[in-house]
Amino acid sequence: MMELSLIHALPEGPWPALDFKAIQAQLETLAAQPAALAADKASQWLGQWLRSAVAPAERLQLLQALRAPLAALAARLERASARQELSCTPEARAALQSARQLLRQWHEQCKLLAQAFSAQEAGRFSSSRPRLEALQLALASGYDLLALHARSYAPLHKGFWRDCHRLYAYALAQGWEGRQASVGAAAGLSYRRLMLLGLTASNRLETAKIALLLQWLEQHAGLLRVEQLDQPLGDDGALAFRADADRPARFCAELDLDGDGVWWRLDAGRLLERLDALGRQRQRQGLDDGHEAWLLARLRQEWGAPPRRRHVRLRRLGAETVELVSLLPRCWRLAAGEPADGELEPCRLQISNLSASGLLLQGESLQQPLRAGEVVMLRRRGFGWQLGLVRWVSFGGEDMQTECGIEFIGKRPQAVEVAAVTSHAAGGFEPALRMQAERHFRHSGILVLPGRLYQALRPFHLRGADGECRVRAVRLLQQTAHYQFVEIKIDELLPADAQA
């Protein structure tokens, strides 16, 4: 029997027959109720069915029937929360927590059933189909739960990865890795999707990029190679995991390779080659909107090479706080010296750790939205305002507290206005932020622009408190869903008094 990290047990027989018509009628009532109330009722029913004496075959049928209505209910809760900013709205985080709780209950019951089937000895003339379908449902429900956690920027509960490894190991032992059941993906395919999503730092991605990532995994995850090792690991750049560890695969350079245990290796090379080929095809067709290329570059980094930490981090343990204002329009007004109002009143977050390149913050930011790729102005006690970029966010724990990583971009940001110089009629000026270069004499710094205005060597008309000038884009330093960070220099080919 598989050993899984479960706290419940299924009731033993005798097992009365289930009334599936009554259950179906119950489930149909959920669609007409408010999402929060429907989630509470569905959670209660799941608890009742867990405690009910149900034959394994009927329980499998029940859990398979629950997948569509529970997924629809979780999607309703997600849509309701999507209309609000998670870091500013506890109600939105609570809706997502309800959705995660529903899918977790369902996943736990799927694992219980797979464990119960694994304890049964297969008879000479008995079918292995129910055991196969229970195992596949357990892995598929795990992927559904992990995808929801990725979309809602929430950490996983303990035991999740260890159970997924054991379910997959059992599928291999039975020869079921690629065997298809009547419903859903094969066990090996669900496991590969799980592992690839576990490899990816989804809390660093905007919503659109997470949706694109999940689409790619649905289509191409089967290209991931998973192999059990028969010799010690020796390549620091290899992706590996131990079957009894409660974590996804990581690069060997990050792992403690000592101790007993069965080691496995992952190779995403073929998958990256496929995504590269698809990206080139979309570029030839003119269909690439920039998201695909950016995400593919990110995945090459995360799936292909060990990360390198640039600076030592110092733990602060909440002893110091930082003032923070988010969103470019607010940061622009703050840099311009406008008087504070409700929007410019900074929130105060605790510093958990600090390095030369950024810091980790915790707390509530009810007035200042925080999301991956957002720009912020922050100020520590005794320092001036500086510009930062939200690298990742997480909403975890019982109180769903906001946690985020901020990268320092530059000091002394200046509020300026820019207009791209084009052959068409001059467009209006847009607010932007400029950081003066401190070490490069010929360059005039970095511009933070809204949207996607960058083109190689594109000229801009720039005006600020110290006058007007023409600048030229040198290179695109980085790009998020909302902003571009462009290195610029003064265009010396144009007269100094040129007007846009």
Side-chain angles (χ1 to χ4, degrees), residues 472-484:
R472 188 174 294 274
V474 177
R475 60 182 174 131
L476 180 65
L477 299 174
Q478 56 185 311
Q479 179 174 288
T480 74
H482 310 285
Y483 311 110
Q484 290 182 322

Side-chain angles (χ1 to χ4, degrees), residues 325 328-338 344 377 385 387 412-416 432-434 465:
V325 172
L328 181 61
R330 298 180 184 180
C331 294
W332 188 92
R333 290 165 55 200
L334 185 62
E338 294 193 8
L344 294 185
M377 293 267 279
W385 288 101
L387 193 71
R412 298 181 295 277
Q414 299 174 331
V416 298
L433 291 171
R434 174 185 177 184

Side-chain angles (χ1 to χ4, degrees), residues 111 131 156 191 252 274 278 305 307 376 411 432:
K111 290 194 295 184
R131 290 191 298 143
L156 282 164
Y191 185 70
C252 293
R274 171 68 61 84
L278 292 174
V376 297
K411 300 177 181 179

